[in-house]
Amino acid sequence: MAAKPLILCVDDEQNVLDVLKRMFERLGTVLTAGSGPEALEILKTQPVDLLITDQRMPDMTGIELVRAARKEGIGVTTILLTAYTNPRDLISAINDGQVFRYVTKPWDIEDLMMTVRNALSVAQLRREKEHLLASLHKRIEALNVMYEVSRSSAKDVPSLDAIVDRLLATVGRVLPHDASAVLIEASDGETAALRIRCATGLEEAALLHVKDSVLNSHRKTAGVVLPEDRVITNVSGEVGGAPAPGLTTFACAISVPLVAERQTVGTLALFSSRPDSYSTDDGELLDLLVNQTTDAISHVRATEREARQRIEQMVMAMADGVILTDAKGAVVVVNRAAREFLGLSADEHKPTFEGLTASLGLSPFELVRGWEYGGPKTVREEVQLGEREVELVVTPVAGSGALLRGLVLVLRDVTEQKLLNKRKDEFVGIISHELRTPLTSIAGALDLVLNRLAGDVTEKQKRFLTMARDSTEKLNLLVDDLLDLAKFEQGGMRMNFELAALDELVKTAVERYGPSFAERKVDVSFEAVAGAKLLCDPNRLNQVINNLLTNAVKFTPQGGKVKVTVARSGEGPGGAVLSVWNSGDTIPEGDLERIFDRFEQARSAKTRNVPGTGLGLSICRTIVEAHGGRIWAESESGGARFVAVFAEAPPEEAVVEEHPRASRGTVLVVEDELNLAWVLKAQLLAAGLKTAVAHRAEDAIAMARKLRPDVITLDHKLPDVEGLKLLEILRHDPETKGARVVVVAGGDHRDEATRLGASGFLQKPVNPAGFLASVEAALKERHGGRGRVLVVDDDAQITAICAEVLANQGFDVECAGSVSEARASIARKRPDVLLLDVALPDGDGFHFFEALKADRGTGP
């Protein structure tokens, strides 16, 4: 049934309005206004079909009212009532199309009624014309969109993500909406991907409404119930902006199924806050537009099935155990070797993710936590499965937009390899011990002969015997190094910690090496701050110092220079810094880390024949890290530098990393105080971040352009350019503007740094925890990451309030109503923060939290 037309009568005399309202109530719904401004406000808010207005009114004439409405974009069919019989302005208004007709007062009732009926017919025809034109424009635009999608699809490599993204991006050109969503079932039929695109800022309640509506529509059309934990949801568009106030549901929505090969494979839906946004014709148009892409979707799904079958065949044939999971943690593929590792028979069903986590003793998703900030990485962990030692390699599989698609788990039996390494170490230890006795005898016998206790020795014999004695000493040193390595690997190297002055240890060592430097005419300088005391093992620290000075003797050319410094940073965390610089060849960038491996030395034409086993630096790194410190090499113009940073006291349990952790990102430290820069670098290296140091603005710009760091820590005062001016340069340079900058200053320059675009600010002296937290926050910001909060409470109202408040602050929020739901959520992805109710229906919050802390695989 068609709605009644809306008629607006305007006159400054109330009795005239009453008469007009009674006359036209049978023709439609009648509104009245006593002045032109009042009528204009009604026209702005109501879809008026016919305007009947008096021409002569005190505030605004009838024609002025029509012109004012047109300026507001309101076109309405108008009848003027006037007491003048031949006014020129009325004739002009009719000729311009502003007025349908004018009726003179006093009017004839029949003539007025006929005029109103004709005007309503004209208004209806005009609205139908506008509707048809709008529909025609929509269809033309839909044809353009289909052509563009087809042309783009022909050029691009077909992928489901690309098709969906292109469809959501273009559908708004045809049908306006506040949110659009596409749900597509995966080719395996077990999971589905829901892509929501926001055209305006939406609150969480509105997004949940979109998700529920799409799932319900798909259930009705496809007859398939998709559990929420099997739907991977991705939200894009106006996310995190100011949400539309009060918009939790939508006044109008439209959805169509995606049909491929006579099977419903998905659903597309549009949502609008305006009522009557979509008509039946719009539904048909949307169906026509959307299902032009179903052939491409069907082709991609078939390609995915074929690729999956090939992958499964290859995985099944692998000797290593391989397990593939999806983004929700469900095991998709498990090969024969992995079944043997897990103790599953060939006919048993695939293990659940909870069962897999229990078997491995850890959560694979927890191992790769934070991968979205530093890019996909491979993580290795050793686990015990029965009597076998197994190396677990976990690699995240990333989709578009840093979306996790799943994990690849590789299980490799390293029991024999471990046993072989153990036997090798035992062999090295036995041989080293067995060599000690004959070497002692040889050295003692040579000393007797050289000291003429066995008779006279000619000068020629003495020269050859001295060569033999020197070779014996070198062999003794080699045996010592082999024994040290064996002890470290077997965990048998004990540290005897005591309070010692690093500056005194280094000073004594430099004096002891004085003759060696003098023989090569090397100029040695030593600088130290008094009282650089540490809780350390002095004997082991002497071993580090001796190895670094031995390197300086070997690699410094005749007549070169060596500079040894011991210092502290007064503006940074506690500890001491040892630096040994020597002139000569620089170390190639590719060798800076390699030279710390066993039996490795820098490779160059000049150093190829330098004697040495390549064990010294490896032992140095082991000892320094056992003291809770870090050591590295730097290549500088005109030479090379080795830097060791020590903590004031070693950690309670010193962890020596046999393999360096995969870098989670790159940080450039720009600091004019060398000692503070090295201390900060040591902290960042310990946190698994690749780190470089620059001391001048010119060097900082060059290194930032070369390294493209994720984060730059910037000193406020630099020797050549003020730090904040350098910040402005970095923020406007196309090659460096992507990096996030944390300003470190001696005074409070937070406001100025923030105004210039800094992501963080720290005031000296620098606190270690605050420094790392600021860098981590900047790193997350660089990669678009947001903190994840898990709210655990059985009160739905409390969880809803917490979720809304936290989401408005930019956090990713997930809710759980019980201990079991919280465990499942943490097993899938560990949160950054846990908000936990102490009283839950299936357990106590305190006990649950203690269990999480004790479980290294899932504990927050």
Side-chain angles (χ1 to χ4, degrees), residues 411-442:
L411 301 169
R412 179 170 298 160
D413 190 348
V414 294
T415 307
E416 291 295 331
Q417 181 181 343
K418 286 282 186 181
L419 183 59
L420 182 62
N421 288 337
K422 183 179 179 181
R423 289 175 177 172
K424 179 201 69 175
D425 296 337
E426 291 175 352
F427 175 76
V428 170
I430 292 172
I431 291 298
S432 301
H433 279 290
E434 292 299 323
L435 286 174
R436 285 276 186 146
T437 300
L439 282 174
T440 302
S441 300
I442 294 170

Side-chain angles (χ1 to χ4, degrees), residues 506-521:
V506 176
K507 180 180 179 182
T508 302
V510 170
E511 292 173 352
R512 187 169 58 249
Y513 273 79
S516 298
F517 287 119
E519 184 181 349
R520 297 178 60 85
K521 299 180 180 179

Side-chain angles (χ1 to χ4, degrees), residues 253-365:
I254 186 173
S255 65
V256 294
L258 301 177
V259 181
E261 299 176 352
R262 299 182 180 180
Q263 181 181 1
T264 301
V265 298
T267 298
L268 182 141
L270 303 179
F271 301 85
S272 176
S273 58
R274 294 174 298 174
D276 302 326
S277 295
Y278 309 119
S279 63
T280 305
D281 292 340
D282 292 334
E284 296 175 354
L285 181 62
L286 184 63
D287 182 69
L288 175 65
L289 172 64
V290 168
N291 281 289
Q292 294 297 316
T293 63
T294 53
D295 289 339
I297 293 174
S298 178
H299 174 69
V300 171
R301 283 163 58 91
T303 303
E304 286 181 348
R305 284 194 296 268
E306 293 176 3
R308 181 174 175 176
Q309 291 174 356
R310 289 195 299 270
I311 291 173
E312 288 186 1
Q313 291 172 356
M314 290 187 288
V315 168
M316 291 300 176
M318 292 179 65
D320 291 333
V322 179
I323 302 172
L324 308 180
T325 78
D326 61 16
K328 292 289 186 177
V331 176
V332 179
V333 177
V334 53
N335 69 351
R336 177 184 55 80
R339 288 181 177 276
E340 292 180 0
F341 279 117
L342 299 174
L344 300 174
S345 61
D347 55 349
E348 284 188 71
H349 197 268
K350 299 172 185 174
T352 63
F353 184 74
E354 289 75 14
L356 178 63
T357 300
S359 299
L360 297 175
L362 51 83
S363 171
F365 280 96

Side-chain angles (χ1 to χ4, degrees), residues 502-519 522-528 541-542 544-550 552-553 561-566 578-581:
L502 179 62
D503 55 323
E504 292 295 332
L505 294 175
V506 176
K507 180 180 179 182
T508 302
V510 170
E511 292 173 352
R512 187 169 58 249
Y513 273 79
S516 298
F517 287 119
E519 184 181 349
V522 173
D523 180 22
V524 181
S525 63
F526 172 65
E527 295 179 6
L541 248 59
N542 267 324
V544 172
I545 299 166
N546 291 340
N547 278 330
L548 294 179
L549 293 177
T550 299
V553 171
K561 293 183 179 181
V562 171
K563 185 177 182 180
V564 183
T565 59
V566 176
L578 167 63
S579 167
V580 179
W581 174 86

